[in-house]
């Protein structure tokens, strides 16, 4: 069998169209070949050349002093919070942010770090006035405010650079450090069109996922200043993230950085197109809602249609999240133009039956 490098590998018997998340992407043939050729070593000894290359590559690209390969975005965020904060210290964070709601409260469980969730603005950004209100006085009744956690994109929403800078300045004014959960950092860049360096500059530490829109099978990178690196590596080891010949994972990351960043615009265009098509089925007075942000479409069908839609699409090999009442559909590397047409046609069939 021969493959070209962009050949998608479908391990399922029928090739399903999986819209649940951009985490479902499978490594392409090109990525698999690149992984196969990777030089590896023992990373706990600092001897994996491919990991070292990836860490340096991404740090230099984003103007940070150091990078550390992590097993996941959750581990990367956790290492950052534990590096910044000791027991009894506190993180101020958007109340809808991943670190607060979707990471099993690891910083509190494992680090004794308190979390102060705050209301965010229209684009889910951290509002300076809410940050300053949440900062605790130097009083024995209170935890010690230490870190402000930002996120971009949030629920697919790309937060403009000036809003990020405003939050950072507020944090710095009060001598707090900043962390950016940039799981989908490059989706934000694709939308905002600002420089990668400028966005990375909005926080002391930045975490980036390789395994979402970038299409790697695993891995995240934490970018940080040199003086935090030793401490963060100790936490990573303690959290079970000291991998050995993980150059095979780093190789996928290098391949992703070189091949899969520029194409994120296509995912956004596909999401825009899907949202536009879905608008045909809703009208001003209906309870159907469609929100599109970067590569995501949030669709709320009529309550009576939700379950029927789920199984109708399922029968046609299209997997979506259960509408509860809203469903998130995400565009990614494994959704081709034809797949999208097929999805749009399937919605047409559903609403015209
Ligand atoms: C996915 C995600 C993470 C965590 O990444 P995992 O690799 O799934 O642990 C963190 N933050 C945000 C905003 C995410 O979307």
């Amino acid at each position: 069998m021969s493959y070209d490098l962009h050949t998608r590998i479908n391990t399922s018997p029928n090739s399903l169209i999986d819209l649940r998340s951009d985490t479902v992407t499978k490594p392409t043939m090109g990525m698999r070949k690149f992984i196969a050729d990777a030089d590896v070593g023992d990373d706990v000894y600092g001897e994996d050349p491919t990991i070292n290359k990836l860490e340096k590559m991404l740090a230099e690209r984003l103007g940070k002093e150091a990078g550390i390969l992590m097993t996941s975005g959750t581990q990367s965020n956790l290492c950052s919070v534990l590096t910044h904060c000791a027991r009894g210290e506190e993180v101020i964070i958007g109340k809808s942010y991943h670190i607060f709601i979707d990471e099993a409260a690891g910083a509190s469980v494992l680090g004794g770090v308190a979390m102060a969730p705050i209301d965010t603005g229209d684009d889910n950004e951290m509002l300076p006035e809410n940050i300053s209100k949440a900062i605790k006085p130097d009083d024995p009744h209170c935890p010690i405010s230490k870190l402000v956690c930002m996120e971009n994109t949030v629920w697919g929403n790309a937060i403009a650079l000036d809003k990020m800078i405003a939050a950072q300045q507020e944090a710095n004014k009060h001598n707090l450090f900043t962390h950016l959960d940039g799981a989908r950092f490059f989706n934000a860049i694709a939308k905002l069109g600002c420089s990668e360096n400028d966005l990375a500059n909005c926080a002391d530490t930045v975490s980036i996922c390789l395994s979402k829109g970038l299409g790697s099978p695993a891995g995240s990178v934490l970018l940080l200043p040199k003086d935090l690196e030793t401490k963060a590596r100790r936490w990573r080891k303690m959290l079970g993230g000291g991998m050995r010949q993980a150059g095979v994972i780093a190789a996928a990351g290098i391949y992703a950085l070189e091949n899969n960043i520029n194409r994120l615009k296509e995912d956004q265009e596909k999401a825009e197109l899907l949202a536009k098509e879905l608008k045909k089925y809703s009208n001003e007075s209906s309870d159907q809602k469609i929100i599109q942000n970067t590569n995501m479409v949030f669709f709320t069908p009529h309550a009576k249609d939700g379950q029927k839609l789920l199984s109708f699409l399922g029968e046609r090999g299209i997997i979506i999240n259960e509408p509860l009442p809203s469903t998130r559909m995400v565009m990614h590397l494994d959704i081709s133009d034809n797949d999208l047409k097929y999805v749009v046609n399937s919605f047409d069939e559903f609403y015209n039956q």
Side-chain angles (χ1 to χ4, degrees):
M1 217 177 347
S2 74
Y3 294 100
D4 83 66
L5 292 185
H6 297 290
T7 303
R8 291 183 284 141
I9 312 282
N10 287 305
T11 45
S12 45
N14 308 305
S15 113
L16 298 171
I17 298 177
D18 194 340
L19 301 178
R20 289 171 301 169
S21 178
D22 46 10
T23 55
V24 302
T25 48
K26 293 174 187 171
T28 56
M29 203 58 212
M31 182 177 276
R32 287 171 195 237
K33 286 208 153 78
F34 199 78
I35 292 170
D37 289 341
D39 192 5
V40 296
D42 191 326
D43 184 50
V44 177
Y45 293 116
E47 289 171 5
D48 188 304
T50 309
I51 295 181
N52 294 343
K53 183 174 168 192
L54 169 69
E55 291 175 345
K56 190 155 175 267
M57 200 174 146
L58 197 50
E60 278 174 3
R61 177 170 179 147
L62 299 185
K64 294 289 189 208
E65 289 172 359
I68 308 178
L69 176 67
M70 300 281 174
T71 58
S72 66
T74 300
Q75 184 177 71
S76 185
N77 284 329
L78 181 54
C79 270
S80 177
V81 174
L82 294 175
T83 299
H84 284 294
C85 303
R87 300 185 73 78
E89 294 183 337
E90 176 189 60
V91 175
I92 295 167
I93 185 166
K95 71 176 182 190
S96 62
Y97 288 8
H98 202 276
I99 294 178
F100 182 59
I101 58 173
D102 274 327
E103 298 185 9
S108 305
V109 177
L110 302 172
V113 177
M115 284 197 251
I118 63 173
D119 288 325
T120 51
D122 292 342
D123 295 331
N124 296 113
E125 76 276 21
M126 295 290 276
L127 296 167
E129 60 271 29
N130 290 358
I131 294 174
S132 75
K133 266 191 273 169
I135 295 172
K136 308 298 180 293
D138 184 5
D139 178 312
H141 295 87
C142 304
I144 300 160
S145 303
K146 196 67 189 288
L147 177 69
V148 170
C149 279
M150 300 188 262
E151 189 174 303
N152 206 354
T153 59
V154 181
W155 300 98
N157 219 325
I159 299 170
L161 193 59
D162 57 340
K163 294 185 171 178
M164 300 294 291
I165 292 172
Q168 177 190 34
Q169 284 176 344
E170 190 63 29
N172 291 163
K173 198 167 94 191
H174 299 278
N175 294 319
L176 304 190
F177 292 98
T178 46
H179 171 68
L180 168 58
D181 177 358
R184 295 187 178 83
F185 181 93
F186 291 106
N187 295 86
I189 295 289
K191 166 79 187 188
L192 299 172
C194 66
S195 97
E196 295 173 4
N197 265 265
D198 286 349
L199 187 58
N201 227 337
C202 290
D204 300 303
T205 54
V206 180
S207 172
I208 290 180
C209 283
L210 302 168
S211 62
K212 296 192 168 164
L214 296 186
S216 290
S220 280
V221 178
L222 179 63
L223 303 156
L224 70 179
K226 198 87 199 136
D227 61 350
L228 295 181
E229 187 182 358
T230 308
K231 201 172 168 189
R233 285 192 185 276
R234 181 186 297 271
W235 276 118
R236 184 186 68 163
K237 187 82 180 94
M238 207 186 298
L239 295 171
M243 296 182 284
R244 303 293 177 174
Q245 288 74 30
V248 290
I249 291 171
I254 291 172
Y255 185 89
L257 295 181
E258 285 174 348
N259 294 279
N260 295 343
I261 290 182
N262 290 337
R263 60 157 306 287
L264 290 172
K265 282 194 214 77
E266 294 170 30
D267 294 342
Q268 191 175 305
E269 285 159 12
K270 286 196 174 82
E272 283 163 9
L273 201 140
L274 178 61
K276 194 172 132 236
E277 292 293 330
L278 290 177
K279 287 201 174 115
K280 288 195 304 217
Y281 315 121
S282 80
N283 55 53
E284 296 278 305
S285 61
S286 89
D287 57 352
Q288 294 198 131
K289 277 200 214 73
I290 300 148
I291 299 167
Q292 178 264 324
N293 293 316
T294 58
N295 64 331
M296 298 181 185
V297 178
F298 298 87
F299 179 54
T300 315
H302 291 301
K304 63 172 176 47
D305 290 339
Q307 287 302 322
K308 281 185 228 157
L309 181 65
L310 183 72
S311 50
F312 186 90
L313 295 176
E315 282 160 18
R316 282 155 185 77
I318 301 167
I319 315 176
I320 61 167
N321 296 297
E322 193 178 348
L324 290 170
S326 162
T327 181
R328 183 187 73 167
M329 292 176 275
V330 187
M331 295 299 135
H332 54 73
L333 194 59
D334 289 358
I335 305 296
S336 67
D337 290 336
N338 277 338
D339 290 341
L340 181 60
K341 274 189 207 135
Y342 178 72
V343 169
V344 168
N345 287 342
S346 299
F347 271 100
D348 265 340
E349 268 180 60
F350 180 78
Y351 281 107
N352 293 320
Q353 62 189 335

